[in-house]
Each structure stands twice: as C-alpha cells, then as structure tokens.
Amino acid sequence: MHPAERGLDEDSLAAIDAITARHGNRPDALIEIYHEVQEALGHIPEGALPRIARALNISRAEARGVFTFYHDFRDRPAGRHVIKLCRAEACQSMGCRSLEAHAKQRLGIGMGETTGDGEVTLEAVYCLGNCALSPAVMIDGRLYGRVDATRFDALVDEFKRRAAS
Amino acid sequence: MAAARIYVPGDSAACSVGADEVAAAIAAEAAARGITLTIVRNGSRGLLYLEPLVEVATLEGRVAYGPVTAADVPGLFDAGFLEGGAHPLGHGLTEEIPYLKNQERLTFARCGIIDPLSLDEFIAHGGYAGLRHALELAPADIVAEVAASGLRGRGGAGFPTGIKWKTVLDAVADQKYVCCNADEGDSGTFADRMLMEGDPFALIEGMTIAGIATGATQGFIYIRSEYPDAIRVMKQAIAMAEAAGWLGDDIQGSGRRFRLAVRVGAGAYICGEETAMLESLEGRRGMVRPKPPLPALEGLFGKPTVINNVLSFAAVPTILERGAKFYADFGMGRSRGTLPFQLAGNIKRGGLVEKAFGVTLAELVYDFGGGTASGRPARAVQMGGPLGAYLPVSLFTLQQDYETFAENGAMVGHGGLVLFDDTVDMLEQARFAMEFCAVESCGKCTPCRIGSIRGVEVIDRIAAGIDHKRNLDVLTDLCETMTDGSLCAMGGLTPMPVMSALKHFPEDFEPRRATLDAAE
Ligand SMILES: Cc1cc2nc3c(=O)[nH]c(=O)nc-3n(C[C@H](O)[C@H](O)[C@H](O)COP(=O)(O)O)c2cc1C
Ligand code: SF4
Ligand code: FES
C-alpha cells in the first residue's frame, strides 16, 4: 500500500475499489472513475490516486497528471453548495464582472474558496450554455439565468433559510 | 372534451428562469379548479427572451404566452388561456411569431415541438425517415449524398463532412468509431445543448447514419460536464432507442449494427479540440495530438474515427430524408444549408435563429435580436466564440458565410454571436482572450502556453501607458508568433479576438488616464 492510501478509511477504500472494478480496471475509464469517486466521496483524496493508478496499471504520475489537468476534480471537500459563476464573454457583456465582485463581497471569499462555515464554495466557469439569458450561474448542478446582485442574494439567502430550518 | 395539452419547456435555459415553478403552478392551479390537463415538458423553441414560454394546443394551432412567471398563472386561467384566450403575455399562434416564422428550421424543426423523450412523437414528426432511407443505400451512396449536400462541419472549422466520412469509409480496419463532439465550450453557443435536451433522437439518428455510412459500429458522445441535463436526456434517449431496436446489433431488422455511449468531460475547454477530445476519451489529459495522422485514419484507440459536432450529425437525417439538393439549395457560395445561429449577450431578444447562410449580422442583431438589452447603442459583436473576432457596427453588413468572414479576419465558428453595447472596454476584452488562453491552454506548445501569459502582461503595460508604442508592436509580434507557431487553433486563433479589437477599436488601447495618474 502506498503511504498516502493509509489516510483513507475503510469505506473510502471500498468505494474506490468498487468503482474501478465496475469499470473493469480499464485505463480509458480514468476520467469516468474520477467523476464517480468525486461523486461518492465529495472529492478525490490524495490517497485515492495511487490506489486508482495501481488498479488501472498506470503510473502514479499519469494518474496525477490527469487529475490536475481537469478543472472539475478537487482534492478537498467543497462546501455544501457549489456556486459556479460564468466568467465568459456573453456574461461579461451583461455585467458578470460586477456580479463576481458582488458575490465575493457578499460571501467574503475569493474564487475557488469556501466560506468558513463550509456552506458555500465559489467557482469560476467559462460558459454554461445559457448565454442568451446571461449572466448565468450554476448552483449544485442547477442553472440560473439573468442573475443580478439581487437575485444572487436571494439564492444565497435561500441556503441560509434551509440550513437554519 | 379532451384534456387540455399544455407545453412548458424542460430545457435548462427555460428552467433557469423559472419553467419548473411555472409548470408546478399550472398543475396546482388546474387541480384547484378541477381541470384535468396534460403538461408536456418540451424542449425550447429557442425564443429564449420569452422563456418560460408556455404553449396551449388549440384547434388553430399552438398559442404562446411568455415570459410567464408562477405568479402569472392564475391570471392566465382567468383569461381562458386553455382555449387560447387573450392575455397581456399572449403572442398568438407560436408559429406566427415573426422571430420563429422568419427562420428556416431544418435541424431544429422538431425542437420545442415534441416531448424530447417520446420516440413515438419523434417518429410522427419525421424522425428516423432519414435513417430508414439510409438503410436502403450502400454506404458509399450515403457518403455521396452527404458530400453532395455541401454540409461542412458545424463545430467551427467548416471542413466538408462528406470528405471526412469518405476517408473513414475507405480506411480498412477491424474497428471504426463515430465520436460526437458535444463539448460546446464556446461562449455564446448553446445550440448543441438545446438540441440534445430538446430532440435527442435527432442526434442519435445522425450518428447512426454516420456509423452505417462508414462501417463504424460504436459511437461515443462526449458531453461537457457543465451540461448535466443534456447528459441525462441523452442517456435516457439512448436506452430508449436501444430498447426499441433503433440501436443495437440488428437495427430494425437490417442486420446493421451500431451502439452508442455517453462520456462526460471534466471542465477543460481544450477537450473540444478533436484530438484532445480523443485523448480525454482514452482516459488521458486532453493534450492536443499533432496531425497527421488524421483522426479519420488513426483516431480513437488508433482506429479510423468520424468526429463531428452535434449540429453536423443532426443535419444529416434531413439530407438523407429530403435529398442532398434540397439541403444544398439553402445558403450561399460554398456555405450550404442552414446554421443555427445563437444570439447572446447584451441582446434584447436572445435565442436560437436557424437561417440559411447568407443572412447578415445586422439582420441577426437588429431584425431578430432587437438590438441591445440595455437599450444603449451596440458597439461590437464577437462572432464564433472566444477565439472569434470582435466586429464593429460598420461590419454588421457582413453576410454569414465561411469565406466572407475569413476574408474579413473573422470566423463564423459554431454560429454564436455575442453582442456588446457601448460600455464595453475592448482592451479588457482583448486581455480576457489572452487570459482565457492561459487558463485553458493544454500546455503542449510554447507560443500558446507562455505567449498567452506574456500577452496579458503586454496588454497591462499598454493600458498603463508604459512604452506605449513599443508594447503595441510587441503585442502584434506576439500575436504573429502565436498564429504561426501554435500546434492547434487554441493558440493559433487567440490572436483573432485580440488583433480584431486592436484593429477596429484602437481608441480603447490608448494609455489610460486613471492608471497614469496612479502611476505618477
Ligand atoms: C480549442 C478548440 C476548441 C474546440 N471546441 C469545439 C467544440 O466545443 N465542439 C466542436 O464540435 N468542435 C470544437 N472544435 C473543433 C473540433 O476540433 C473539430 O473541428 C470538430 O469537432 C469537427 O466536427 P465538425 O467537422 O462536425 O465541425 C474546437 C477546436 C479547437 C481548436
Ligand atoms: S496551441 Fe495551446 S492548446 Fe493547442 S496544442 Fe498548443 S498549447 Fe495546446
Ligand atoms: S457565456 Fe456565460 S453562459 Fe455562456
């Protein structure tokens, strides 16, 4: 066992092994495997990489290279809610730069960061395919259009209400 | 009396402005009033400025109301909208709305009309007629038909689809593949998403025809992870097509074999580049492969592979059903057929407009789009995604045609058009183009990987007025190096938005007063 894997608990190890096995330990399934591990564990812990590499018979460097290449994969847990703000051109034309400034200020965090209470992670994304209804935001996989500062605040308040109840 | 039939789009853009809430409100209001009705969650008609667009089936046709909020619902019932009653949000017959009526819809003919996940409705509206015809033809004849239609790749580069298919057909191999590029990462584009969510069987049909035409028996649809709804709908549609014998080992008793699977991207723009997509499909980093070898000869797992965009595949059934000539009769010059243009950004009537090539930017921006959403004067359009040129109002006369745009240092790309009003800062936009390239570069070659970072720095110096003239020369030089020295169009085309901004909007590249004051 690679030393990093010792940081994983039994359940995580079992989940990772089940996922790689379901994909027949095929290297071409690596990205699908990462998606599923992240779905199951909330992130891809350090120790998962050598374990997956071994199962797929690829080098640890290869596993790490793929992990770091893609923006979707994270090495630490995200907040309970992930807010993705579109930063691309169509949204820029409708003021996403000031929406981003507002979001950072409202949440007190920068892009790629999580609030201290673990409630919200803020991330940049380049186009959500909602460019005709920009600025666009995605929250926990759900798309929102025409998001101004007021609507943004209403969406965040909604979390607070749910978390409080 | 039969139960009323109401359409409330399930398209994610429609839902992003409240379609789910509207559907729920309609169901609740109907229940409270003791009315039975059927709510169909159709795709979007593409009139996104009217979303959520609710339609009611009447004897005269479908009547449209929009944009509807949940709060409007009781009033709509009071106005008798179930019989097409008059209401301030009413637009009369959907098909008569000029925005829709003035389009030439071939690829998007069914989108927004049918229940996306009803095979029966798909077939009742002409679905699978193209494949049925293809099953009667020899592979070479299918390829010849596609070639004769003049169809060029809708993903951006505009390469003739027929030539690509012929290369794969002629290649000898034990296994061939069909890959659909549904990575749609360009800002201002959403047609792939709309089609996958609104008419998924159209894509399946097009890919199946491609498989039969080239001898490929396995297909993959590479969908970006930012599109969870499209992923879900496509997976369901594939399972349904399989269960009904439209995919599998013996398609409709023809003895032809074709299977499909969905693969999900992981947030990397470069994976839209076809060879990077192949790398990603093989479980690796999305690093661009040098060409040759062409993917048509050595593609996925080293086997001959057809790679096309969603819209290219979705155009094929019409060509097989109605003939190459029918399709080729639309368009101008060497740009044949129709393109689903996407009107986005600061635009009053954003949405999808499918038109024959030859339509002008002005027609799209003003006649369809209604000008800016802000009501301020328009200043620029970025056409063709983040690697496309910024064009000034004086060039809105340009006709949409691959060659016309190329001659003007611009590109049609995937048909996405982003409008900006006069508050746009073009230096800021040029800087963003470089920044985006730096973030999304695959890192394989220096002009792109390092050049983009240097590009941001040089533009900052220009803004600050440091060695102004010399830094403008450095920027021009750098752009030339990126254009000439990059392996793929990521680094090769990033200079297009940058240099077009500089060329058409030089006043924005003057040293900035505020920055200068701060520096003093
Ligand atoms: C940086 C980059 C990004 C691209 N993104 C896409 C994309 O998102 N979708 C797409 O279909 N083609 C994209 N392309 C073009 C593809 O490489 C390829 O030309 C296309 O998928 C071929 O299909 P077509 O002939 O049907 O257009 C991109 C190219 C580059 C260089
Ligand atoms: S131009 Fe950029 S994205 Fe393309 S191969 Fe070179 S480094 Fe990669
Ligand atoms: S540019 Fe923001 S959703 Fe497309």
PDB file of all heavy atoms in Angstrom, chain A residues 16 67 100 108 117 152 154 158 162:
ATOM      1  N   ILE A  16     -13.733   3.186  -3.590  1.00  0.00           N
ATOM      2  CA  ILE A  16     -12.820   3.370  -4.728  1.00  0.00           C
ATOM      3  C   ILE A  16     -12.631   2.054  -5.484  1.00  0.00           C
ATOM      4  O   ILE A  16     -12.705   1.991  -6.710  1.00  0.00           O
ATOM      5  CB  ILE A  16     -11.459   3.921  -4.238  1.00  0.00           C
ATOM      6  CG1 ILE A  16     -11.635   5.355  -3.716  1.00  0.00           C
ATOM      7  CG2 ILE A  16     -10.406   3.859  -5.333  1.00  0.00           C
ATOM      8  CD1 ILE A  16     -10.459   5.870  -2.911  1.00  0.00           C
ATOM      9  N   PHE A  67      -5.527  14.008 -13.095  1.00  0.00           N
ATOM     10  CA  PHE A  67      -6.274  14.653 -12.009  1.00  0.00           C
ATOM     11  C   PHE A  67      -6.103  16.179 -12.056  1.00  0.00           C
ATOM     12  O   PHE A  67      -7.061  16.928 -11.944  1.00  0.00           O
ATOM     13  CB  PHE A  67      -5.793  14.096 -10.664  1.00  0.00           C
ATOM     14  CG  PHE A  67      -6.318  14.840  -9.486  1.00  0.00           C
ATOM     15  CD1 PHE A  67      -7.618  14.625  -9.043  1.00  0.00           C
ATOM     16  CD2 PHE A  67      -5.527  15.771  -8.831  1.00  0.00           C
ATOM     17  CE1 PHE A  67      -8.106  15.331  -7.959  1.00  0.00           C
ATOM     18  CE2 PHE A  67      -6.017  16.479  -7.750  1.00  0.00           C
ATOM     19  CZ  PHE A  67      -7.312  16.261  -7.316  1.00  0.00           C
ATOM     20  N   GLU A 100     -19.507  39.123 -10.091  1.00  0.00           N
ATOM     21  CA  GLU A 100     -18.434  38.385  -9.403  1.00  0.00           C
ATOM     22  C   GLU A 100     -17.939  39.178  -8.196  1.00  0.00           C
ATOM     23  O   GLU A 100     -17.778  38.627  -7.100  1.00  0.00           O
ATOM     24  CB  GLU A 100     -17.285  38.104 -10.383  1.00  0.00           C
ATOM     25  CG  GLU A 100     -16.136  37.348  -9.735  1.00  0.00           C
ATOM     26  CD  GLU A 100     -14.981  37.066 -10.691  1.00  0.00           C
ATOM     27  OE1 GLU A 100     -15.209  36.942 -11.910  1.00  0.00           O
ATOM     28  OE2 GLU A 100     -13.832  36.956 -10.206  1.00  0.00           O
ATOM     29  N   GLY A 108     -17.691  36.873   1.284  1.00  0.00           N
ATOM     30  CA  GLY A 108     -16.429  37.099   1.988  1.00  0.00           C
ATOM     31  C   GLY A 108     -15.330  36.130   1.583  1.00  0.00           C
ATOM     32  O   GLY A 108     -14.447  35.802   2.372  1.00  0.00           O
ATOM     33  N   ASP A 117     -17.917  28.651   7.263  1.00  0.00           N
ATOM     34  CA  ASP A 117     -18.887  27.719   7.838  1.00  0.00           C
ATOM     35  C   ASP A 117     -19.106  26.491   6.950  1.00  0.00           C
ATOM     36  O   ASP A 117     -19.959  25.655   7.238  1.00  0.00           O
ATOM     37  CB  ASP A 117     -20.228  28.429   8.085  1.00  0.00           C
ATOM     38  CG  ASP A 117     -20.819  29.029   6.812  1.00  0.00           C
ATOM     39  OD1 ASP A 117     -20.195  28.840   5.732  1.00  0.00           O
ATOM     40  OD2 ASP A 117     -21.877  29.673   6.885  1.00  0.00           O
ATOM     41  N   PHE A 152     -28.906  37.047  -6.894  1.00  0.00           N
ATOM     42  CA  PHE A 152     -27.835  36.273  -6.268  1.00  0.00           C
ATOM     43  C   PHE A 152     -28.053  36.202  -4.762  1.00  0.00           C
ATOM     44  O   PHE A 152     -27.989  35.130  -4.156  1.00  0.00           O
ATOM     45  CB  PHE A 152     -26.470  36.894  -6.587  1.00  0.00           C
ATOM     46  CG  PHE A 152     -25.316  36.110  -6.034  1.00  0.00           C
ATOM     47  CD1 PHE A 152     -24.785  35.042  -6.741  1.00  0.00           C
ATOM     48  CD2 PHE A 152     -24.792  36.413  -4.786  1.00  0.00           C
ATOM     49  CE1 PHE A 152     -23.739  34.299  -6.210  1.00  0.00           C
ATOM     50  CE2 PHE A 152     -23.749  35.674  -4.249  1.00  0.00           C
ATOM     51  CZ  PHE A 152     -23.226  34.609  -4.976  1.00  0.00           C
ATOM     52  N   ALA A 154     -30.799  36.558  -3.128  1.00  0.00           N
ATOM     53  CA  ALA A 154     -31.981  35.754  -2.816  1.00  0.00           C
ATOM     54  C   ALA A 154     -31.636  34.264  -2.833  1.00  0.00           C
ATOM     55  O   ALA A 154     -32.092  33.497  -1.985  1.00  0.00           O
ATOM     56  CB  ALA A 154     -33.091  36.055  -3.818  1.00  0.00           C
ATOM     57  N   GLU A 158     -31.656  31.761   0.469  1.00  0.00           N
ATOM     58  CA  GLU A 158     -32.397  30.504   0.428  1.00  0.00           C
ATOM     59  C   GLU A 158     -31.618  29.375   1.135  1.00  0.00           C
ATOM     60  O   GLU A 158     -32.194  28.619   1.923  1.00  0.00           O
ATOM     61  CB  GLU A 158     -32.646  30.157  -1.047  1.00  0.00           C
ATOM     62  CG  GLU A 158     -33.404  28.884  -1.309  1.00  0.00           C
ATOM     63  CD  GLU A 158     -34.897  29.022  -1.070  1.00  0.00           C
ATOM     64  OE1 GLU A 158     -35.404  30.164  -1.159  1.00  0.00           O
ATOM     65  OE2 GLU A 158     -35.530  27.997  -0.781  1.00  0.00           O
ATOM     66  N   ARG A 162     -32.675  27.394   4.573  1.00  0.00           N
ATOM     67  CA  ARG A 162     -32.774  25.926   4.648  1.00  0.00           C
ATOM     68  C   ARG A 162     -31.841  25.365   5.703  1.00  0.00           C
ATOM     69  O   ARG A 162     -32.186  24.430   6.414  1.00  0.00           O
ATOM     70  CB  ARG A 162     -32.477  25.311   3.274  1.00  0.00           C
ATOM     71  CG  ARG A 162     -33.769  24.950   2.530  1.00  0.00           C
ATOM     72  CD  ARG A 162     -33.467  24.237   1.236  1.00  0.00           C
ATOM     73  NE  ARG A 162     -33.056  25.179   0.205  1.00  0.00           N
ATOM     74  CZ  ARG A 162     -32.251  24.883  -0.805  1.00  0.00           C
ATOM     75  NH1 ARG A 162     -31.734  23.675  -0.893  1.00  0.00           N
ATOM     76  NH2 ARG A 162     -31.946  25.770  -1.708  1.00  0.00           N
TER      77      ARG A 162
END
